[in-house]
Amino acid sequence: MQAHYLECCDKDIPRRVRVFHVDLIVMSDKTVIKGNPSEYVKLNVGGCLYYTTIGTLTKHDTMLRAMFSGRMEVLSDSDGWILIDRSGRHFGTILNFLRDGTVTLPETSKELAELLAEAKYYCIAELAEPCNQALTKRKEREAEPICKVPLITSQKEEEMLISSTTKPAIKLLINRHNNKYSYTSTSDDNLLKNIELFDKLSLWYSNRVLFIKDVISTSEICCWVFYGHGKKVSEVCCTSIVYATDKKHTKVECPEARIYEETLNILLYESRNAPDQELMQATATRGSGMSSYTSDEEEERSGLDRLRSNKSNNPG
């Protein structure tokens, strides 16, 4: 049997391969291929050139087995290249699957859909099925939101959510329409900062904490409430009253450090057992389990009241 060497462009085949003559029965411009499994054939798939063995092409019960086992006629050119009128982009992956029975699937949905189409065309059910499953899962994952934040419309909904979840919970109460008092100049900015911080924390900890937004309550304008094991553990109130002349003004602040601290504390309630009390006391800023935020103006006012009280009690 006469043999000659050809340069190979398939990366999985040595650069120089020994190509044996394959018996070709020519019928006009079509050819019926017959040969031993170890013999190489030249394939031109949509302009991409491949060298592979007849054994690889006939290894599985596919359309390629029918093409290269003499059961079907194939097109060939004058140089002996077998012509397949399909895109050659994923044909290397097709060959690898025929050789090994498994391949690494593409990462993008577009390439995965292209490989699925080629697997269906060549009737390779063993490859089409995992492609179809991976594509379905990928579409479901792409359509699913990263995190979900329920917006409650009643106190009953809040109680139901908190009692039914196994996670600790953080609720942000936002009531911009509470116009009982007028805002200070920076209150709107601080309200937006609280909303942005809530959105950031929900993206970070959505797998560990249930985040809830409350826009119906009228008790406060902006308040964080933290729940563990279905019970209220602490809160950070960002609303305070500022006394200027004889008028009252509502002030909204954004105590980020305090909110971060309470968020980390609430993660202690992830386990079924209650957190260690000594640890909770060490991380709490006050003696009680409940905590709230006091503005600088309130502290200053409280200090002035104490000073006046001391002067009145000690007139001398």
Side-chain angles (χ1 to χ4, degrees):
M1 180 179 296
Q2 184 180 1
H4 60 277
Y5 291 94
L6 292 175
E7 292 292 328
C8 177
C9 63
D10 189 345
K11 63 181 180 180
D12 296 318
I13 305 298
R15 292 296 300 173
R16 288 172 59 86
V17 294
R18 197 177 186 190
V19 181
F20 292 90
H21 289 294
V22 179
D23 294 332
L24 303 178
I25 303 175
V26 180
M27 301 174 62
S28 65
D29 59 341
K30 296 184 178 180
T31 302
V32 175
I33 297 180
K34 292 182 179 180
N36 295 324
S38 60
E39 296 175 356
Y40 277 81
V41 292
K42 305 183 297 181
L43 304 176
N44 183 338
V45 185
C48 297
L49 307 182
Y50 295 90
Y51 291 98
T52 189
T53 64
I54 292 179
T56 296
L57 296 170
T58 59
K59 190 173 183 179
H60 298 266
D61 187 14
T62 67
M63 189 177 74
L64 291 170
R65 172 185 285 182
M67 292 173 61
F68 293 93
S69 61
R71 288 185 289 158
M72 287 181 59
E73 296 178 347
V74 296
L75 294 174
S76 62
D77 62 13
S78 58
D79 295 326
W81 290 90
I82 308 301
L83 306 178
I84 299 179
D85 189 19
R86 295 291 295 182
S87 172
R89 181 176 182 181
H90 299 285
F91 194 76
T93 303
I94 297 289
L95 289 179
N96 286 335
F97 180 82
L98 295 177
R99 293 170 183 137
D100 306 325
T102 181
V103 290
T104 301
L105 298 179
E107 295 183 358
T108 66
S109 298
K110 179 178 180 295
E111 292 182 338
L112 196 56
E114 292 173 352
L115 180 59
L116 174 61
E118 296 306 304
K120 288 182 176 179
Y121 175 79
Y122 294 112
C123 302
I124 310 176
E126 297 87 349
L127 178 58
E129 183 177 355
C131 286
N132 196 25
Q133 292 176 353
L135 189 61
T136 301
K137 291 181 179 179
R138 194 159 298 175
K139 288 181 178 179
E140 292 175 352
R141 187 168 62 249
E142 290 173 354
E144 185 177 354
I146 297 176
C147 68
K148 300 177 181 179
V149 178
L151 184 67
I152 60 173
T153 58
S154 67
Q155 184 70 27
K156 185 177 181 180
E157 284 184 348
E158 175 186 335
E159 294 174 355
M160 181 185 67
L161 283 172
I162 295 175
S163 62
S164 61
T165 184
T166 58
K167 302 177 182 178
I170 297 177
K171 182 187 75 172
L172 176 61
L173 185 156
I174 307 170
N175 185 15
R176 178 61 183 87
H177 303 290
N178 185 346
N179 293 320
K180 185 177 180 181
Y181 303 106
S182 59
Y183 273 5
T184 62
S185 59
T186 59
S187 288
D188 278 327
D189 291 339
N190 286 328
L191 184 62
L192 291 176
K193 288 180 181 178
N194 278 279
I195 297 174
E196 290 174 358
L197 180 58
F198 180 85
D199 292 342
K200 184 188 298 183
L201 292 174
S202 64
L203 289 174
W204 287 351
Y205 298 109
S206 59
N207 292 330
R208 303 174 62 182
V209 178
L210 171 65
F211 287 87
I212 304 171
K213 277 188 178 180
D214 181 0
V215 296
I216 61 168
S217 178
T218 58
S219 58
E220 296 289 349
I221 295 178
C222 183
C223 184
W224 296 69
V225 187
F226 301 84
Y227 299 88
H229 298 165
K231 297 180 180 179
K232 185 177 179 180
V233 175
S234 61
E235 73 175 26
V236 178
C237 182
C238 303
T239 308
S240 61
I241 306 301
V242 179
Y243 292 86
T245 62
D246 294 333
K247 297 181 179 180
K248 295 179 180 180
H249 296 274
T250 302
K251 182 177 182 179
V252 177
E253 298 193 9
C254 183
E256 291 190 23
R258 183 69 183 140
I259 295 169
Y260 278 122
E261 179 184 357
E262 294 298 342
T263 300
L264 294 178
N265 285 342
I266 207 68
L267 293 177
L268 298 174
Y269 287 86
E270 286 185 289
S271 62
R272 294 184 179 180
N273 299 325
D276 185 83
Q277 291 301 317
E278 293 184 359
L279 179 59
M280 292 299 296
Q281 291 177 2
T283 57
T285 57
R286 293 174 175 82
S288 62
M290 302 293 293
S291 62
S292 61
Y293 179 75
T294 304
S295 69
D296 295 339
E297 286 78 3
E298 284 184 303
E299 293 180 353
E300 183 178 355
R301 176 176 170 79
S302 178
L304 292 174
D305 290 342
R306 288 196 300 269
L307 181 60
R308 294 191 186 100
S309 177
N310 291 336
K311 288 184 177 180
S312 62
N313 292 333
N314 302 291

